[in-house]
Amino acid sequence: MDAEAFWALIEQSRRETRTQKRRLIWLDAQLSELPVDDIIDFQMWLDVCEYRSNIWELWVAYLITLPLGSDDGFLYFRYWLVGLGRGTFERVVADSDTLIEVPEVLHLWKVIRKRAGKKRLWTDDEWPEFELLAYVAWEPYKKRTGLDLTTLQEKAHARTDLDDDDYEIRGEQWIIDSEEELTRRFPRIAYYRAGRT
């Protein structure tokens, strides 16, 4: 499975279903029909996307745009970003300031502002996390091979050139307390934070 086939599967799963739960069921069924090598490749591409999006600029954009703010939340958010499709993923990884212009994120931003102080801000399917996407290849792999997830992870990892240390957040890190610095680095997000919507 090459990158094109991986993204085609992700994007078709989005078109074919309306909820994360149904997407997982759909992906499980599709992956279960594929050769074992393709299941491993699917996991590999997920791992590569997780690595590519683990960058400081996106972490800061996430922190100041969505009030989630945890390491686990950021990881699950990045799988959610993968779930939005290749175009959105590539654009936001290349320029994290565009995160606010992703329609789903902009919707959530408006919900947050409108419902400030209320506990329940959005529905489960609006929640900008998709943790279970990370594990969707596990059951199909186990069904096809009888092997456990550790074997899948090892085989997927072996197909990349990533080291174990490569899973640390990458990029220039800077102090995020300065509004001036945030505005300079994230002019689009600053526009929305200033209440101009």
Side-chain angles (χ1 to χ4, degrees):
M1 177 182 291
D2 61 11
E4 296 291 334
F6 167 78
W7 285 111
L9 201 54
I10 290 289
E11 290 165 3
Q12 187 178 355
S13 74
R14 190 170 187 220
R15 289 191 303 271
E16 297 282 337
T17 62
R18 298 201 181 276
T19 67
Q20 286 188 4
K21 184 177 181 181
R22 293 213 174 270
R23 280 185 87 176
L24 294 169
I25 293 167
W26 189 92
L27 282 166
D28 181 281
Q30 299 300 311
L31 289 168
S32 295
E33 297 296 318
L34 294 177
V36 172
D37 272 350
D38 284 351
I39 298 171
I40 296 169
D41 282 344
F42 182 90
Q43 184 65 51
M44 177 201 70
W45 287 115
L46 272 179
D47 292 348
V48 167
C49 289
E50 188 274 320
Y51 163 77
R52 288 188 56 220
S53 59
N54 192 20
I55 54 177
W56 179 256
E57 292 290 315
L58 184 55
W59 164 243
V60 176
Y62 161 81
L63 280 180
I64 61 178
T65 305
L66 300 166
L68 307 175
S70 72
D71 290 344
D72 286 347
F74 182 51
L75 174 61
Y76 307 151
F77 161 77
R78 288 175 3 244
Y79 286 116
W80 182 78
L81 193 59
V82 170
L84 295 181
R86 187 177 201 170
T88 299
F89 178 84
E90 296 291 351
R91 185 172 57 255
V92 172
V93 168
D95 180 2
S96 299
D97 191 32
T98 63
L99 176 63
I100 193 67
E101 295 174 344
V102 172
E104 294 81 358
V105 174
L106 187 55
H107 166 73
L108 294 175
W109 173 261
K110 290 176 179 177
V111 168
I112 292 164
R113 291 181 66 88
K114 186 177 179 181
R115 301 184 193 168
K118 296 182 181 176
K119 271 191 168 183
R120 187 70 173 176
L121 294 177
W122 42 58
T123 68
D124 288 344
D125 278 305
E126 288 176 314
W127 188 259
E129 295 181 358
F130 198 178
E131 176 186 3
L132 296 180
L133 181 60
Y135 319 128
V136 73
W138 292 8
E139 278 304 310
Y141 180 78
K142 187 176 180 181
K143 282 186 269 189
R144 296 298 301 277
T145 67
L147 300 172
D148 64 13
L149 66 96
T150 303
T151 310
L152 171 60
Q153 290 171 318
E154 288 170 356
K155 287 182 179 291
H157 189 77
R159 294 182 182 193
T160 72
D161 58 358
L162 304 178
D163 295 326
D164 289 335
D165 291 341
D166 287 336
Y167 291 96
E168 296 295 321
I169 197 164
R170 300 176 337 278
E172 175 198 357
Q173 298 188 14
W174 39 275
I175 297 170
I176 64 174
D177 294 341
S178 165
E179 280 298 321
E180 184 178 327
E181 186 71 1
L182 289 174
T183 299
R184 184 180 74 77
R185 291 178 183 261
F186 300 106
R188 292 179 185 90
I189 295 174
Y191 177 85
Y192 287 93
R193 292 179 81 216
R196 297 190 180 110
T197 60

